Amino acid sequence: MHLMYFTEQPMSAYDSKKGLDFGATALMFSNSNFDPVAGSRLYNEYIEQYKLAEKVNFDGIMLNEHHNAPFCMQAKANVFAAVLAAVTERVKIVMLGNPLPLADNPLRLAEELAMIDMISRGRLVSGFVRGGGQEQLATGVNPAYNRERFEEAHDLIVRAWTQPGPFRFEGTHYQHRVVNPWAVPLQKPYPRVWIPGVVSRETIIWAAQQRYPYIALNTSIEATKKIWETYEQAAQEVGYTSGPENRGYLQRVHVAETEEKAVANARQFMWMQGEFTGLAHPVWSSPSGYFSPTQRRSFVEFATGRAVSPRGRPDFQQQLNDMQIIAGTPKTVIPKLRRILEETRPGIMALWANDGTVSHEDSKTCIRLLGEEVLPALRETGAKLGLNSPFDNNAPVGIKYSTDLRKPAAAAS
Amino acid sequence: MAGSIAWNETSIAIAGVKLHLARAGKGRPLVVLHHDTGTLDRLPFYDALAERFDVLVPHHPGYGKSERPQWLRHPRDIAVMYRWLLSELDVALPVLVGLGFGGWVAAEMATASPRDVGALALVGAMGVKPPQGDILDQALMSYMDYVKAGFHQQSAMDSVYGAEPSTDQLVEWDVCREMSFRIAWKPYMYSQTLPHLLGGVKAKALVVHGDDDRVVPRSAAEVYAKGLANAKLEIVKGCGHYVEMEKPKELAALVTALAGGN
């Protein structure tokens, strides 16, 4: 198993009442509510927490990126990845991920990631995402070409990493007359690419077609099983059978020395009223053209309040009951996490452990208890269930590098 | 008057894309270019024009009942497709009536072929950067709030779309919005080159603006009125962005005064 530590890096030092009064805090909630003094403190606390996560034996640190919102302070995940490349020694730096469509120059991303890979001595996992709707609006990027830009930027980056330059790239959204970056990744053929997501069927299928692991972000057990079905079907179509090495799962879990404290701190997972990516205005989180046309009717009904959110909005107790959030002492959370592993069978597991206003001290306690008491139990369960990570299995980085593909049924006959 | 006009609906392939066209009336050819929110099939304004003109109401490519060209990238491409359409139909010297976003398309059509314009009416036209204020950003608003912002009076919106627009209508607005994003995302809803090209248009032109247009600032209308060689600015009182829906008779009278009719 590959076990990672994750936090959204909340910028919690603001007047939360103002945010709640405003409503949707992702995108248009004024940055005059941001306090750079607190921001400086928090960034440095997060670095300390990541270093502790490495010390207590996490295998990886998962990073992400959002813009214009208090729920995530990372406006550029590569900055933190570069910091971690220098201040850690062993953990994988797992970026989930860089929002490709936001890049007007994906080559710059290719260069930054290559530098991070070299500085970290080959510890980069370079996940890619489409970015939420708000991110497109926050960066002025056309949401209607989001998926096209995602796929094209990916192709350009992989070519820049693997094909000797100089060469020319003439795409629909990206044109580069000279591709010849001198920074190329240390890992060959290129750093592993993992794709996180929540609901988008097209992304699951695309990840399976690339043979990139898909990381389900705290989806319900039932939804997660459906994701694996979709993934497996696409995998079969391109000639391989998916396994735990293709599956990742993000779980919200907070651990403390007492049940009471753990539950109290876990309430902070609801600090954005339980919204997964901040308080999202539907029109901002899913601008026209961003979502799949198959969802158009249900989306417009949701956006105008004629239908409930497709993701629902269960309260804290409900999320505890459904194990969407797990909280307790190591002793009480271990059986629940085991159950999650048994049900979702991931080779990659991310533990989202601290959120909202959980203090630096409590965050560190949580990380320490996870590392010392919970991770060994999960590793034991993972070994029993055969939940091997891509590293354990030395899985191919991508479909092109597979040596075990079956011929498609039609071609074989 | 409304309902008595017989409209003929066809589909015509232009640049490999099926364009929907509604046509009615006799007389001087007049093309109505609709808003970024699409158009209803019938409007009292269209009927009023069809009493005096040969009225053509195409659905923009990617909007309404017209197919989406995946390759289309700019409203100027729509203008060229419409020039092609008019050529196929053997329509010369059309009166161009552009509504909001359609005003931008009309201005592009006029500047591209300045001698092939019967007359030009730009109504709350987008397409130029307003010197004061900004064109309202629909990306930040719900479908209904955006349309609502285009009416001076809520009652006018209710009478056109109903107090609770149907889900089909919302879906249509979403399709339109997606297409507008595809072709006019940045800079949002204007061209940086168009203002420099307006001077070539010598045809009689009328720039109409609702005095309570909250979608396009009046300063944009002033840019058009100043830039076109032969234009007058007309402000419609007690009216928002959707002049044709809120003041259909007044706008039809203004267009008729501009272009005469049959």
Tab-separated table of all heavy atoms in Angstrom, chain A residues 70-123:
chain	number	residue	atom	x	y	z
A	70	PRO	N	-10.860	30.403	0.812
A	70	PRO	CA	-10.206	30.131	2.093
A	70	PRO	C	-9.982	28.651	2.391
A	70	PRO	O	-9.206	28.327	3.270
A	70	PRO	CB	-11.178	30.737	3.117
A	70	PRO	CG	-12.487	30.831	2.435
A	70	PRO	CD	-12.219	30.931	0.967
A	71	PHE	N	-10.627	27.765	1.664
A	71	PHE	CA	-10.521	26.362	2.069
A	71	PHE	C	-9.194	25.738	1.672
A	71	PHE	O	-8.836	24.684	2.170
A	71	PHE	CB	-11.697	25.539	1.530
A	71	PHE	CG	-11.660	25.278	0.048
A	71	PHE	CD1	-11.031	24.147	-0.439
A	71	PHE	CD2	-12.261	26.144	-0.839
A	71	PHE	CE1	-10.994	23.895	-1.795
A	71	PHE	CE2	-12.229	25.901	-2.193
A	71	PHE	CZ	-11.589	24.781	-2.681
A	72	CYS	N	-8.446	26.392	0.793
A	72	CYS	CA	-7.159	25.838	0.366
A	72	CYS	C	-6.189	26.973	0.095
A	72	CYS	O	-6.477	27.844	-0.716
A	72	CYS	CB	-7.344	24.994	-0.888
A	72	CYS	SG	-5.787	24.378	-1.579
A	73	MET	N	-5.066	26.951	0.786
A	73	MET	CA	-4.096	28.040	0.641
A	73	MET	C	-3.128	27.846	-0.516
A	73	MET	O	-2.337	28.732	-0.810
A	73	MET	CB	-3.278	28.184	1.928
A	73	MET	CG	-4.035	28.888	3.032
A	73	MET	SD	-3.061	29.035	4.537
A	73	MET	CE	-1.694	30.016	4.008
A	74	GLN	N	-3.166	26.673	-1.148
A	74	GLN	CA	-2.180	26.439	-2.201
A	74	GLN	C	-2.672	26.993	-3.529
A	74	GLN	O	-3.468	26.368	-4.207
A	74	GLN	CB	-1.905	24.953	-2.352
A	74	GLN	CG	-1.139	24.389	-1.199
A	74	GLN	CD	-0.528	23.052	-1.557
A	74	GLN	OE1	0.525	22.981	-2.178
A	74	GLN	NE2	-1.191	21.996	-1.171
A	75	ALA	N	-2.175	28.159	-3.888
A	75	ALA	CA	-2.535	28.729	-5.183
A	75	ALA	C	-1.640	28.152	-6.273
A	75	ALA	O	-1.931	28.297	-7.457
A	75	ALA	CB	-2.403	30.243	-5.140
A	76	LYS	N	-0.563	27.510	-5.865
A	76	LYS	CA	0.337	26.886	-6.841
A	76	LYS	C	0.974	25.685	-6.153
A	76	LYS	O	1.896	25.840	-5.346
A	76	LYS	CB	1.391	27.911	-7.279
A	76	LYS	CG	2.301	27.430	-8.375
A	76	LYS	CD	1.596	27.344	-9.720
A	76	LYS	CE	2.527	26.848	-10.803
A	76	LYS	NZ	1.821	26.430	-12.016
A	77	ALA	N	0.468	24.528	-6.462
A	77	ALA	CA	0.943	23.313	-5.782
A	77	ALA	C	2.427	23.080	-6.039
A	77	ALA	O	3.132	22.525	-5.194
A	77	ALA	CB	0.128	22.109	-6.237
A	78	ASN	N	2.916	23.525	-7.200
A	78	ASN	CA	4.332	23.300	-7.503
A	78	ASN	C	5.253	24.026	-6.528
A	78	ASN	O	6.387	23.597	-6.311
A	78	ASN	CB	4.647	23.746	-8.940
A	78	ASN	CG	4.087	22.776	-9.967
A	78	ASN	OD1	3.514	21.749	-9.603
A	78	ASN	ND2	4.252	23.102	-11.240
A	79	VAL	N	4.769	25.130	-5.960
A	79	VAL	CA	5.596	25.846	-4.990
A	79	VAL	C	5.811	24.963	-3.766
A	79	VAL	O	6.938	24.782	-3.288
A	79	VAL	CB	4.957	27.191	-4.595
A	79	VAL	CG1	5.689	27.817	-3.424
A	79	VAL	CG2	4.951	28.142	-5.785
A	80	PHE	N	4.740	24.374	-3.265
A	80	PHE	CA	4.884	23.510	-2.097
A	80	PHE	C	5.659	22.246	-2.438
A	80	PHE	O	6.453	21.748	-1.647
A	80	PHE	CB	3.518	23.167	-1.489
A	80	PHE	CG	3.363	23.793	-0.142
A	80	PHE	CD1	2.902	25.087	-0.025
A	80	PHE	CD2	3.738	23.108	1.005
A	80	PHE	CE1	2.807	25.690	1.212
A	80	PHE	CE2	3.657	23.703	2.244
A	80	PHE	CZ	3.179	24.999	2.347
A	81	ALA	N	5.449	21.742	-3.640
A	81	ALA	CA	6.188	20.545	-4.046
A	81	ALA	C	7.686	20.842	-4.075
A	81	ALA	O	8.503	20.009	-3.669
A	81	ALA	CB	5.712	20.084	-5.420
A	82	ALA	N	8.034	22.041	-4.526
A	82	ALA	CA	9.448	22.413	-4.568
A	82	ALA	C	10.015	22.521	-3.155
A	82	ALA	O	11.137	22.090	-2.886
A	82	ALA	CB	9.613	23.733	-5.317
A	83	VAL	N	9.200	23.087	-2.252
A	83	VAL	CA	9.640	23.178	-0.854
A	83	VAL	C	9.859	21.775	-0.295
A	83	VAL	O	10.892	21.464	0.306
A	83	VAL	CB	8.597	23.946	-0.009
A	83	VAL	CG1	8.913	23.830	1.475
A	83	VAL	CG2	8.536	25.407	-0.439
A	84	LEU	N	8.890	20.896	-0.524
A	84	LEU	CA	8.993	19.536	0.019
A	84	LEU	C	10.163	18.778	-0.599
A	84	LEU	O	10.802	17.952	0.056
A	84	LEU	CB	7.687	18.765	-0.221
A	84	LEU	CG	6.490	19.229	0.603
A	84	LEU	CD1	5.272	18.369	0.290
A	84	LEU	CD2	6.798	19.169	2.091
A	85	ALA	N	10.440	19.078	-1.861
A	85	ALA	CA	11.576	18.408	-2.513
A	85	ALA	C	12.854	18.675	-1.733
A	85	ALA	O	13.725	17.815	-1.630
A	85	ALA	CB	11.700	18.892	-3.951
A	86	ALA	N	12.925	19.874	-1.152
A	86	ALA	CA	14.146	20.246	-0.437
A	86	ALA	C	14.127	19.852	1.038
A	86	ALA	O	15.163	19.499	1.586
A	86	ALA	CB	14.368	21.755	-0.570
A	87	VAL	N	12.953	19.921	1.681
A	87	VAL	CA	12.943	19.722	3.142
A	87	VAL	C	12.585	18.294	3.557
A	87	VAL	O	12.637	17.980	4.739
A	87	VAL	CB	12.016	20.723	3.869
A	87	VAL	CG1	12.383	22.161	3.528
A	87	VAL	CG2	10.546	20.442	3.583
A	88	THR	N	12.204	17.449	2.615
A	88	THR	CA	11.967	16.045	2.959
A	88	THR	C	12.997	15.188	2.215
A	88	THR	O	13.670	15.662	1.301
A	88	THR	CB	10.543	15.593	2.563
A	88	THR	OG1	10.387	15.739	1.147
A	88	THR	CG2	9.488	16.414	3.282
A	89	GLU	N	13.087	13.927	2.632
A	89	GLU	CA	14.121	13.078	2.034
A	89	GLU	C	13.587	11.787	1.434
A	89	GLU	O	14.206	11.186	0.573
A	89	GLU	CB	15.151	12.709	3.106
A	89	GLU	CG	15.944	13.910	3.550
A	89	GLU	CD	16.961	13.582	4.608
A	89	GLU	OE1	16.949	12.435	5.124
A	89	GLU	OE2	17.753	14.479	4.939
A	90	ARG	N	12.445	11.336	1.938
A	90	ARG	CA	12.006	9.995	1.560
A	90	ARG	C	10.616	9.968	0.922
A	90	ARG	O	10.363	9.201	-0.008
A	90	ARG	CB	12.005	9.111	2.824
A	90	ARG	CG	11.600	7.670	2.598
A	90	ARG	CD	11.428	6.921	3.920
A	90	ARG	NE	10.568	7.613	4.867
A	90	ARG	CZ	9.229	7.610	4.820
A	90	ARG	NH1	8.594	6.942	3.887
A	90	ARG	NH2	8.528	8.276	5.724
A	91	VAL	N	9.702	10.784	1.438
A	91	VAL	CA	8.305	10.677	0.987
A	91	VAL	C	8.148	11.019	-0.489
A	91	VAL	O	8.876	11.840	-1.029
A	91	VAL	CB	7.348	11.624	1.770
A	91	VAL	CG1	6.995	11.072	3.117
A	91	VAL	CG2	7.883	13.037	1.812
A	92	LYS	N	7.164	10.367	-1.095
A	92	LYS	CA	6.776	10.760	-2.447
A	92	LYS	C	6.034	12.089	-2.346
A	92	LYS	O	5.251	12.320	-1.407
A	92	LYS	CB	5.842	9.713	-3.065
A	92	LYS	CG	6.433	8.323	-3.144
A	92	LYS	CD	7.501	8.215	-4.204
A	92	LYS	CE	7.968	6.772	-4.336
A	92	LYS	NZ	9.197	6.673	-5.160
A	93	ILE	N	6.245	12.902	-3.328
A	93	ILE	CA	5.538	14.192	-3.402
A	93	ILE	C	4.443	13.993	-4.444
A	93	ILE	O	4.719	13.916	-5.642
A	93	ILE	CB	6.512	15.313	-3.791
A	93	ILE	CG1	7.611	15.398	-2.722
A	93	ILE	CG2	5.776	16.637	-3.943
A	93	ILE	CD1	8.825	16.189	-3.175
A	94	VAL	N	3.225	13.859	-3.941
A	94	VAL	CA	2.129	13.405	-4.808
A	94	VAL	C	1.218	14.594	-5.108
A	94	VAL	O	0.471	15.058	-4.244
A	94	VAL	CB	1.339	12.267	-4.131
A	94	VAL	CG1	0.230	11.767	-5.063
A	94	VAL	CG2	2.266	11.123	-3.755
A	95	MET	N	1.287	15.063	-6.313
A	95	MET	CA	0.527	16.251	-6.674
A	95	MET	C	-0.790	15.826	-7.291
A	95	MET	O	-0.817	15.223	-8.355
A	95	MET	CB	1.318	17.079	-7.664
A	95	MET	CG	2.761	17.139	-7.242
A	95	MET	SD	3.629	18.489	-7.988
A	95	MET	CE	2.602	19.822	-7.517
A	96	LEU	N	-1.866	16.141	-6.617
A	96	LEU	CA	-3.190	15.733	-7.135
A	96	LEU	C	-4.098	16.948	-7.211
A	96	LEU	O	-5.011	17.103	-6.421
A	96	LEU	CB	-3.804	14.644	-6.240
A	96	LEU	CG	-3.021	13.325	-6.177
A	96	LEU	CD1	-3.683	12.339	-5.261
A	96	LEU	CD2	-2.875	12.710	-7.557
A	97	GLY	N	-3.867	17.717	-8.108
A	97	GLY	CA	-2.705	17.717	-9.012
A	97	GLY	C	-2.617	19.101	-9.607
A	97	GLY	O	-3.286	20.059	-9.211
A	98	ASN	N	-1.807	19.171	-10.646
A	98	ASN	CA	-1.748	20.434	-11.389
A	98	ASN	C	-2.961	20.547	-12.317
A	98	ASN	O	-3.218	19.656	-13.122
A	98	ASN	CB	-0.459	20.472	-12.228
A	98	ASN	CG	0.655	21.189	-11.512
A	98	ASN	OD1	0.582	22.404	-11.302
A	98	ASN	ND2	1.676	20.448	-11.107
A	99	PRO	N	-3.686	21.655	-12.236
A	99	PRO	CA	-4.864	21.828	-13.121
A	99	PRO	C	-4.390	22.228	-14.521
A	99	PRO	O	-4.081	23.389	-14.777
A	99	PRO	CB	-5.660	22.964	-12.465
A	99	PRO	CG	-4.897	23.366	-11.237
A	99	PRO	CD	-3.529	22.792	-11.317
A	100	LEU	N	-4.315	21.252	-15.399
A	100	LEU	CA	-3.705	21.492	-16.718
A	100	LEU	C	-4.393	22.575	-17.539
A	100	LEU	O	-3.716	23.400	-18.148
A	100	LEU	CB	-3.671	20.186	-17.520
A	100	LEU	CG	-2.743	19.105	-16.967
A	100	LEU	CD1	-2.739	17.905	-17.910
A	100	LEU	CD2	-1.337	19.644	-16.810
A	101	PRO	N	-5.741	22.601	-17.592
A	101	PRO	CA	-6.359	23.598	-18.488
A	101	PRO	C	-6.042	25.034	-18.093
A	101	PRO	O	-6.151	25.932	-18.927
A	101	PRO	CB	-7.864	23.317	-18.341
A	101	PRO	CG	-7.939	21.911	-17.853
A	101	PRO	CD	-6.737	21.728	-16.981
A	102	LEU	N	-5.659	25.256	-16.843
A	102	LEU	CA	-5.357	26.627	-16.421
A	102	LEU	C	-4.056	27.128	-17.035
A	102	LEU	O	-3.780	28.318	-17.030
A	102	LEU	CB	-5.245	26.719	-14.896
A	102	LEU	CG	-6.414	26.237	-14.055
A	102	LEU	CD1	-6.235	26.687	-12.617
A	102	LEU	CD2	-7.746	26.734	-14.585
A	103	ALA	N	-3.248	26.193	-17.525
A	103	ALA	CA	-1.946	26.588	-18.051
A	103	ALA	C	-2.085	27.076	-19.483
A	103	ALA	O	-2.595	26.366	-20.348
A	103	ALA	CB	-0.996	25.395	-18.004
A	104	ASP	N	-1.627	28.297	-19.727
A	104	ASP	CA	-1.554	28.748	-21.114
A	104	ASP	C	-0.247	28.280	-21.736
A	104	ASP	O	-0.103	28.282	-22.941
A	104	ASP	CB	-1.683	30.274	-21.190
A	104	ASP	CG	-3.143	30.690	-21.125
A	104	ASP	OD1	-4.013	29.904	-21.566
A	104	ASP	OD2	-3.437	31.776	-20.601
A	105	ASN	N	0.688	27.923	-20.881
A	105	ASN	CA	1.952	27.381	-21.373
A	105	ASN	C	2.273	26.099	-20.608
A	105	ASN	O	2.985	26.128	-19.608
A	105	ASN	CB	3.075	28.417	-21.193
A	105	ASN	CG	4.418	27.864	-21.629
A	105	ASN	OD1	4.487	26.770	-22.204
A	105	ASN	ND2	5.474	28.600	-21.346
A	106	PRO	N	1.764	24.959	-21.055
A	106	PRO	CA	2.005	23.709	-20.335
A	106	PRO	C	3.482	23.333	-20.282
A	106	PRO	O	3.894	22.589	-19.389
A	106	PRO	CB	1.227	22.667	-21.149
A	106	PRO	CG	0.246	23.447	-21.945
A	106	PRO	CD	0.881	24.770	-22.212
A	107	LEU	N	4.270	23.866	-21.202
A	107	LEU	CA	5.702	23.554	-21.171
A	107	LEU	C	6.344	24.058	-19.892
A	107	LEU	O	7.270	23.466	-19.363
A	107	LEU	CB	6.414	24.186	-22.363
A	107	LEU	CG	6.291	23.442	-23.683
A	107	LEU	CD1	7.091	24.153	-24.748
A	107	LEU	CD2	6.745	21.995	-23.528
A	108	ARG	N	5.825	25.161	-19.410
A	108	ARG	CA	6.372	25.694	-18.162
A	108	ARG	C	6.101	24.719	-17.017
A	108	ARG	O	6.943	24.506	-16.152
A	108	ARG	CB	5.742	27.053	-17.882
A	108	ARG	CG	6.360	27.722	-16.699
A	108	ARG	CD	5.775	29.108	-16.467
A	108	ARG	NE	6.267	29.581	-15.193
A	108	ARG	CZ	6.952	30.715	-15.026
A	108	ARG	NH1	7.193	31.472	-16.041
A	108	ARG	NH2	7.374	31.066	-13.840
A	109	LEU	N	4.888	24.131	-17.033
A	109	LEU	CA	4.583	23.100	-16.032
A	109	LEU	C	5.537	21.923	-16.174
A	109	LEU	O	6.039	21.384	-15.189
A	109	LEU	CB	3.147	22.584	-16.223
A	109	LEU	CG	1.996	23.378	-15.659
A	109	LEU	CD1	0.695	22.639	-15.938
A	109	LEU	CD2	2.170	23.579	-14.162
A	110	ALA	N	5.765	21.519	-17.423
A	110	ALA	CA	6.665	20.384	-17.666
A	110	ALA	C	8.037	20.667	-17.080
A	110	ALA	O	8.662	19.794	-16.469
A	110	ALA	CB	6.769	20.116	-19.168
A	111	GLU	N	8.488	21.897	-17.235
A	111	GLU	CA	9.807	22.272	-16.707
A	111	GLU	C	9.807	22.291	-15.180
A	111	GLU	O	10.719	21.761	-14.540
A	111	GLU	CB	10.200	23.662	-17.222
A	111	GLU	CG	10.507	23.690	-18.705
A	111	GLU	CD	10.745	25.104	-19.221
A	111	GLU	OE1	9.988	26.023	-18.838
A	111	GLU	OE2	11.658	25.301	-20.020
A	112	GLU	N	8.767	22.906	-14.609
A	112	GLU	CA	8.704	22.982	-13.139
A	112	GLU	C	8.678	21.583	-12.531
A	112	GLU	O	9.376	21.293	-11.564
A	112	GLU	CB	7.448	23.755	-12.704
A	112	GLU	CG	7.510	25.241	-13.005
A	112	GLU	CD	6.165	25.953	-12.804
A	112	GLU	OE1	5.174	25.286	-12.425
A	112	GLU	OE2	6.114	27.153	-13.039
A	113	LEU	N	7.857	20.722	-13.119
A	113	LEU	CA	7.719	19.364	-12.576
A	113	LEU	C	9.018	18.583	-12.736
A	113	LEU	O	9.403	17.814	-11.847
A	113	LEU	CB	6.550	18.655	-13.259
A	113	LEU	CG	5.175	19.240	-12.896
A	113	LEU	CD1	4.098	18.769	-13.867
A	113	LEU	CD2	4.800	18.862	-11.458
A	114	ALA	N	9.673	18.785	-13.853
A	114	ALA	CA	10.959	18.111	-14.059
A	114	ALA	C	11.960	18.567	-13.008
A	114	ALA	O	12.722	17.757	-12.449
A	114	ALA	CB	11.478	18.391	-15.468
A	115	MET	N	11.965	19.856	-12.717
A	115	MET	CA	12.882	20.374	-11.698
A	115	MET	C	12.561	19.774	-10.334
A	115	MET	O	13.463	19.377	-9.586
A	115	MET	CB	12.798	21.910	-11.640
A	115	MET	CG	13.409	22.593	-12.853
A	115	MET	SD	13.123	24.387	-12.840
A	115	MET	CE	14.175	24.872	-11.465
A	116	ILE	N	11.271	19.693	-10.009
A	116	ILE	CA	10.865	19.115	-8.724
A	116	ILE	C	11.308	17.648	-8.650
A	116	ILE	O	11.810	17.175	-7.635
A	116	ILE	CB	9.339	19.247	-8.536
A	116	ILE	CG1	8.952	20.712	-8.345
A	116	ILE	CG2	8.847	18.401	-7.351
A	116	ILE	CD1	7.464	21.007	-8.560
A	117	ASP	N	11.165	16.955	-9.757
A	117	ASP	CA	11.561	15.542	-9.773
A	117	ASP	C	13.061	15.389	-9.558
A	117	ASP	O	13.507	14.517	-8.809
A	117	ASP	CB	11.128	14.907	-11.105
A	117	ASP	CG	11.174	13.393	-11.043
A	117	ASP	OD1	10.719	12.833	-10.021
A	117	ASP	OD2	11.670	12.767	-11.996
A	118	MET	N	13.822	16.259	-10.191
A	118	MET	CA	15.283	16.153	-10.035
A	118	MET	C	15.722	16.571	-8.632
A	118	MET	O	16.530	15.898	-8.004
A	118	MET	CB	15.983	17.005	-11.101
A	118	MET	CG	15.904	16.391	-12.501
A	118	MET	SD	16.841	17.311	-13.727
A	118	MET	CE	15.766	18.710	-14.042
A	119	ILE	N	15.165	17.689	-8.146
A	119	ILE	CA	15.578	18.159	-6.817
A	119	ILE	C	15.207	17.130	-5.743
A	119	ILE	O	15.955	16.886	-4.816
A	119	ILE	CB	14.938	19.534	-6.513
A	119	ILE	CG1	15.471	20.585	-7.474
A	119	ILE	CG2	15.206	19.959	-5.066
A	119	ILE	CD1	14.690	21.893	-7.482
A	120	SER	N	14.047	16.491	-5.926
A	120	SER	CA	13.597	15.500	-4.925
A	120	SER	C	14.254	14.133	-5.157
A	120	SER	O	13.927	13.175	-4.479
A	120	SER	CB	12.073	15.355	-4.978
A	120	SER	OG	11.672	14.763	-6.205
A	121	ARG	N	15.121	14.060	-6.139
A	121	ARG	CA	15.797	12.797	-6.495
A	121	ARG	C	14.785	11.717	-6.876
A	121	ARG	O	14.841	10.587	-6.422
A	121	ARG	CB	16.702	12.322	-5.358
A	121	ARG	CG	17.822	13.301	-5.052
A	121	ARG	CD	18.810	12.756	-4.042
A	121	ARG	NE	20.004	13.590	-3.973
A	121	ARG	CZ	20.119	14.674	-3.218
A	121	ARG	NH1	19.095	15.073	-2.485
A	121	ARG	NH2	21.227	15.382	-3.207
A	122	GLY	N	13.821	12.144	-7.695
A	122	GLY	CA	12.894	11.166	-8.282
A	122	GLY	C	11.731	10.787	-7.394
A	122	GLY	O	11.227	9.667	-7.479
A	123	ARG	N	11.250	11.724	-6.594
A	123	ARG	CA	10.132	11.393	-5.691
A	123	ARG	C	8.794	11.973	-6.141
A	123	ARG	O	7.812	11.939	-5.406
A	123	ARG	CB	10.468	11.872	-4.271
A	123	ARG	CG	11.585	11.051	-3.629
A	123	ARG	CD	11.821	11.454	-2.197
A	123	ARG	NE	12.495	12.736	-2.064
A	123	ARG	CZ	12.083	13.734	-1.278
A	123	ARG	NH1	10.972	13.608	-0.578
A	123	ARG	NH2	12.778	14.850	-1.196
